[in-house]
CSV table of all heavy atoms in Angstrom, one decimal:
chain,number,residue,atom,x,y,z
A,374,GLY,N,88.7,103.3,89.4
A,374,GLY,CA,87.5,102.3,89.6
A,374,GLY,C,87.6,101.4,90.8
A,374,GLY,O,87.0,100.4,90.9
A,375,ASN,N,88.4,101.9,91.8
A,375,ASN,CA,88.6,101.0,93.0
A,375,ASN,C,88.1,101.7,94.3
A,375,ASN,O,88.6,101.6,95.3
A,375,ASN,CB,90.1,100.7,93.2
A,375,ASN,CG,90.4,99.6,94.2
A,375,ASN,OD1,89.5,98.7,94.4
A,375,ASN,ND2,91.5,99.6,94.8
A,376,GLY,N,87.0,102.4,94.1
A,376,GLY,CA,86.3,103.1,95.2
A,376,GLY,C,86.7,104.6,95.3
A,376,GLY,O,87.3,105.1,94.4
A,377,ALA,N,86.3,105.2,96.4
A,377,ALA,CA,86.6,106.7,96.6
A,377,ALA,C,88.1,107.0,96.6
A,377,ALA,O,88.8,106.2,97.1
A,377,ALA,CB,85.9,107.2,97.8
A,378,GLU,N,88.4,108.1,96.0
A,378,GLU,CA,89.8,108.5,96.0
A,378,GLU,C,90.0,109.7,96.9
A,378,GLU,O,89.5,110.8,96.7
A,378,GLU,CB,90.3,108.9,94.6
A,378,GLU,CG,90.4,107.7,93.6
A,378,GLU,CD,91.6,106.8,93.9
A,378,GLU,OE1,92.5,107.2,94.7
A,378,GLU,OE2,91.6,105.7,93.3
A,379,ARG,N,90.9,109.5,97.9
A,379,ARG,CA,91.1,110.6,98.9
A,379,ARG,C,91.7,111.8,98.2
A,379,ARG,O,91.4,113.0,98.5
A,379,ARG,CB,92.0,110.1,100.0
A,379,ARG,CG,92.0,111.1,101.2
A,379,ARG,CD,92.4,110.4,102.5
A,379,ARG,NE,92.2,111.3,103.6
A,379,ARG,CZ,93.2,112.1,104.1
A,379,ARG,NH1,94.4,112.0,103.5
A,379,ARG,NH2,93.0,112.9,105.1
A,380,MET,N,92.6,111.6,97.2
A,380,MET,CA,93.3,112.7,96.6
A,380,MET,C,92.3,113.5,95.7
A,380,MET,O,92.6,114.6,95.3
A,380,MET,CB,94.5,112.3,95.8
A,380,MET,CG,94.3,111.6,94.5
A,380,MET,SD,95.9,111.5,93.7
A,380,MET,CE,95.4,110.7,92.2
A,381,LEU,N,91.2,112.9,95.4
A,381,LEU,CA,90.1,113.6,94.7
A,381,LEU,C,89.0,114.0,95.6
A,381,LEU,O,87.8,114.1,95.3
A,381,LEU,CB,89.5,112.7,93.6
A,381,LEU,CG,90.5,112.1,92.5
A,381,LEU,CD1,89.8,111.2,91.5
A,381,LEU,CD2,91.3,113.2,91.8
A,382,ASN,N,89.4,114.3,96.9
A,382,ASN,CA,88.5,114.7,97.9
A,382,ASN,C,87.3,113.7,98.1
A,382,ASN,O,86.2,114.1,98.3
A,382,ASN,CB,87.9,116.1,97.6
A,382,ASN,CG,88.9,117.2,97.7
A,382,ASN,OD1,89.7,117.3,98.7
A,382,ASN,ND2,89.1,118.0,96.7
A,383,ASN,N,87.8,112.4,98.1
A,383,ASN,CA,86.9,111.3,98.4
A,383,ASN,C,85.7,111.1,97.4
A,383,ASN,O,84.7,110.5,97.7
A,383,ASN,CB,86.3,111.4,99.8
A,383,ASN,CG,87.3,111.1,100.9
A,383,ASN,OD1,88.1,110.2,100.7
A,383,ASN,ND2,87.4,111.8,101.9
A,384,LYS,N,85.9,111.7,96.2
A,384,LYS,CA,84.9,111.4,95.1
A,384,LYS,C,85.2,110.0,94.6
A,384,LYS,O,86.3,109.5,94.5
A,384,LYS,CB,85.1,112.5,94.0
A,384,LYS,CG,84.6,113.8,94.4
A,384,LYS,CD,84.5,114.8,93.3
A,384,LYS,CE,83.9,116.1,93.7
A,384,LYS,NZ,84.0,117.1,92.7
A,385,GLU,N,84.1,109.4,94.2
A,385,GLU,CA,84.1,108.1,93.6
A,385,GLU,C,83.7,108.2,92.2
A,385,GLU,O,82.4,108.3,91.9
A,385,GLU,CB,83.2,107.1,94.4
A,385,GLU,CG,83.4,105.7,94.0
A,385,GLU,CD,82.8,104.7,95.0
A,385,GLU,OE1,82.5,105.1,96.2
A,385,GLU,OE2,82.6,103.5,94.7
A,386,ILE,N,84.6,108.3,91.2
A,386,ILE,CA,84.2,108.7,89.8
A,386,ILE,C,84.3,107.5,88.9
A,386,ILE,O,83.9,107.5,87.8
A,386,ILE,CB,85.1,109.8,89.3
A,386,ILE,CG1,86.6,109.4,89.2
A,386,ILE,CG2,84.9,111.1,90.1
A,386,ILE,CD1,87.4,110.5,88.5
A,387,GLY,N,84.9,106.4,89.4
A,387,GLY,CA,84.9,105.2,88.6
A,387,GLY,C,86.0,105.2,87.5
A,387,GLY,O,86.7,106.2,87.4
A,388,THR,N,86.1,104.1,86.8
A,388,THR,CA,87.0,104.1,85.6
A,388,THR,C,86.2,104.6,84.4
A,388,THR,O,85.1,104.3,84.2
A,388,THR,CB,87.5,102.7,85.3
A,388,THR,OG1,88.5,102.4,86.3
A,388,THR,CG2,88.1,102.5,83.9
A,389,ARG,N,86.9,105.4,83.6
A,389,ARG,CA,86.3,106.0,82.4
A,389,ARG,C,87.2,105.9,81.2
A,389,ARG,O,88.4,106.1,81.3
A,389,ARG,CB,85.9,107.4,82.5
A,389,ARG,CG,85.1,107.6,83.9
A,389,ARG,CD,84.2,108.8,83.8
A,389,ARG,NE,83.5,108.9,85.1
A,389,ARG,CZ,82.6,109.8,85.3
A,389,ARG,NH1,82.2,110.6,84.3
A,389,ARG,NH2,82.0,109.9,86.5
A,390,ILE,N,86.7,105.5,80.1
A,390,ILE,CA,87.5,105.4,78.8
A,390,ILE,C,86.9,106.5,77.9
A,390,ILE,O,85.7,106.5,77.6
A,390,ILE,CB,87.4,104.0,78.1
A,390,ILE,CG1,87.9,103.0,79.1
A,390,ILE,CG2,88.3,104.0,76.8
A,390,ILE,CD1,87.4,101.6,78.8
A,391,VAL,N,87.7,107.4,77.5
A,391,VAL,CA,87.2,108.5,76.6
A,391,VAL,C,88.0,108.6,75.3
A,391,VAL,O,89.2,108.2,75.3
A,391,VAL,CB,87.2,109.9,77.4
A,391,VAL,CG1,86.2,109.9,78.5
A,391,VAL,CG2,88.6,110.3,77.9
A,392,ASN,N,87.4,109.2,74.3
A,392,ASN,CA,88.0,109.4,73.0
A,392,ASN,C,88.3,108.1,72.3
A,392,ASN,O,89.2,108.1,71.4
A,392,ASN,CB,89.3,110.3,73.1
A,392,ASN,CG,89.1,111.6,73.8
A,392,ASN,OD1,87.9,112.1,73.7
A,392,ASN,ND2,90.1,112.1,74.4
A,393,MET,N,87.6,107.1,72.6
A,393,MET,CA,87.8,105.8,71.9
A,393,MET,C,87.1,105.8,70.5
A,393,MET,O,85.9,106.1,70.4
A,393,MET,CB,87.3,104.6,72.7
A,393,MET,CG,87.3,103.3,72.1
A,393,MET,SD,89.0,102.6,72.1
A,393,MET,CE,89.1,102.0,73.7
A,394,ASN,N,87.8,105.6,69.4
A,394,ASN,CA,87.3,105.5,68.1
A,394,ASN,C,87.2,104.0,67.7
A,394,ASN,O,88.2,103.3,67.6
A,394,ASN,CB,88.1,106.3,67.1
A,394,ASN,CG,87.6,106.3,65.7
A,394,ASN,OD1,87.3,105.2,65.1
A,394,ASN,ND2,87.3,107.4,65.2
A,395,LEU,N,86.0,103.5,67.4
A,395,LEU,CA,85.9,102.1,67.2
A,395,LEU,C,86.4,101.6,65.9
A,395,LEU,O,86.6,100.4,65.7
A,395,LEU,CB,84.4,101.7,67.3
A,395,LEU,CG,83.7,102.1,68.7
A,395,LEU,CD1,82.2,101.7,68.7
A,395,LEU,CD2,84.4,101.4,69.8
A,396,ASN,N,86.7,102.5,65.0
A,396,ASN,CA,87.4,102.2,63.7
A,396,ASN,C,88.9,102.1,63.8
A,396,ASN,O,89.5,101.3,63.2
A,396,ASN,CB,86.9,103.1,62.6
A,396,ASN,CG,85.4,103.1,62.4
A,396,ASN,OD1,84.9,102.1,62.2
A,396,ASN,ND2,84.8,104.3,62.5
A,397,ASN,N,89.5,103.0,64.6
A,397,ASN,CA,90.9,103.2,64.6
A,397,ASN,C,91.6,102.6,65.8
A,397,ASN,O,92.8,102.3,65.7
A,397,ASN,CB,91.3,104.7,64.5
A,397,ASN,CG,90.7,105.3,63.3
A,397,ASN,OD1,90.5,104.6,62.3
A,397,ASN,ND2,90.4,106.6,63.4
A,398,HIS,N,90.9,102.4,66.9
A,398,HIS,CA,91.6,102.0,68.2
A,398,HIS,C,91.4,100.6,68.5
A,398,HIS,O,90.3,100.0,68.2
A,398,HIS,CB,91.2,102.9,69.3
A,398,HIS,CG,91.5,104.4,69.1
A,398,HIS,ND1,90.7,105.4,69.5
A,398,HIS,CD2,92.6,104.9,68.6
A,398,HIS,CE1,91.2,106.6,69.2
A,398,HIS,NE2,92.4,106.3,68.7
A,399,HIS,N,92.4,99.9,69.1
A,399,HIS,CA,92.2,98.5,69.5
A,399,HIS,C,92.8,98.3,70.8
A,399,HIS,O,93.1,99.2,71.6
A,399,HIS,CB,92.9,97.6,68.4
A,399,HIS,CG,94.3,98.0,68.1
A,399,HIS,ND1,95.4,97.8,69.0
A,399,HIS,CD2,94.9,98.7,67.0
A,399,HIS,CE1,96.5,98.3,68.5
A,399,HIS,NE2,96.2,98.8,67.3
A,400,LYS,N,93.0,97.0,71.2
A,400,LYS,CA,93.4,96.7,72.6
A,400,LYS,C,94.8,97.2,72.9
A,400,LYS,O,95.1,97.5,74.1
A,400,LYS,CB,93.3,95.2,72.9
A,400,LYS,CG,94.2,94.3,72.0
A,400,LYS,CD,93.8,92.8,72.3
A,400,LYS,CE,94.6,91.9,71.4
A,400,LYS,NZ,94.1,90.5,71.6
A,401,GLY,N,95.6,97.4,71.9
A,401,GLY,CA,97.0,98.0,72.2
A,401,GLY,C,96.8,99.4,72.7
A,401,GLY,O,97.5,99.8,73.7
A,402,HIS,N,95.8,100.2,72.2
A,402,HIS,CA,95.5,101.5,72.7
A,402,HIS,C,95.0,101.5,74.1
A,402,HIS,O,95.4,102.3,75.0
A,402,HIS,CB,94.5,102.2,71.8
A,402,HIS,CG,95.0,102.6,70.4
A,402,HIS,ND1,94.9,101.7,69.4
A,402,HIS,CD2,95.7,103.7,70.0
A,402,HIS,CE1,95.5,102.2,68.3
A,402,HIS,NE2,95.9,103.4,68.6
A,403,MET,N,94.2,100.5,74.4
A,403,MET,CA,93.7,100.3,75.8
A,403,MET,C,94.8,100.1,76.8
A,403,MET,O,94.8,100.6,77.8
A,403,MET,CB,92.7,99.1,75.8
A,403,MET,CG,91.3,99.4,75.2
A,403,MET,SD,90.3,100.4,76.3
A,403,MET,CE,89.9,99.2,77.5
Side-chain angles (χ1 to χ4, degrees):
N375 193 25
E378 289 287 349
R379 195 158 185 266
M380 75 169 181
L381 304 179
N382 292 311
N383 288 318
K384 288 190 176 173
E385 192 164 344
I386 63 172
T388 283
R389 310 204 181 189
I390 302 158
V391 294
N392 303 332
M393 176 76 80
N394 183 303
L395 302 178
N396 298 309
N397 302 331
H398 296 139
H399 53 72
K400 62 187 174 186
H402 291 89
M403 284 284 285

